[in-house]
């Protein structure tokens, strides 16, 4: 049976919202993980330290949402309404 891709759809739990990244996530991304060398090394990802670098990263994420086989979620903590991490399924 063939897998049918649906792309990055929103998923919601009592505590979290998993959704597509938005450009307004840039500050939280810098604050919580993309500028942290230790976290980024765990995922073999480069460190991003400027808003311009994060915007380029978000350009890549957001333009890839056009593909139905692309899955990358921003993890939003409902209590603070900020993006605390990202999740990907390759």
């Amino acid at each position: 049976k063939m897998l049918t891709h649906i792309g990055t759809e929103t998923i919601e739990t009592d505590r979290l919202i998993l959704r597509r990244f938005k450009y307004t996530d840039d500050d939280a991304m810098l604050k919580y993980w993309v500028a942290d060398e230790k976290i980024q090394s765990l995922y073999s990802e480069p460190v991003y330290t400027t808003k311009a670098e994060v915007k380029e990263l978000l350009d890549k994420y957001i333009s890839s949402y056009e593909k139905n086989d692309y899955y990358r979620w921003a993890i939003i903590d409902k209590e603070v309404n900020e993006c605390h991490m990202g999740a990907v399924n390759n």
Side-chain angles (χ1 to χ4, degrees):
K1 192 170 182 180
M2 191 145 190
L3 178 66
T4 302
H5 288 283
I6 61 169
T8 305
E9 296 292 323
T10 299
I11 301 168
E12 189 166 345
T13 70
D14 291 338
R15 271 185 346 104
L16 304 172
I17 299 171
L18 281 69
R19 61 153 169 78
R20 292 177 175 200
F21 278 92
K22 301 175 183 177
Y23 287 106
T24 54
D25 293 323
D26 62 348
D27 286 333
M29 291 170 68
L30 280 165
K31 179 179 177 182
Y32 292 112
W33 86 91
V34 296
D36 187 315
E37 187 175 332
K38 185 175 180 182
I39 291 172
Q40 291 298 87
S41 70
L42 292 172
Y43 297 99
S44 300
E45 293 284 336
V47 174
Y48 302 90
T49 58
T50 69
K51 286 187 101 163
E53 291 172 333
V54 174
K55 184 194 177 297
E56 285 182 29
L57 180 62
L58 286 167
D59 284 342
K60 179 178 144 186
Y61 291 173
I62 292 168
S63 68
S64 294
Y65 288 135
E66 294 175 16
K67 299 180 279 188
N68 281 343
D69 64 348
Y70 182 77
Y71 300 93
R72 186 171 294 268
W73 290 271
I75 302 173
I76 310 303
D77 181 331
K78 287 181 176 180
E79 190 172 312
V80 293
N81 196 32
E82 284 187 319
C83 179
H84 280 248
M85 185 55 88
V88 64
N89 183 359
N90 289 351

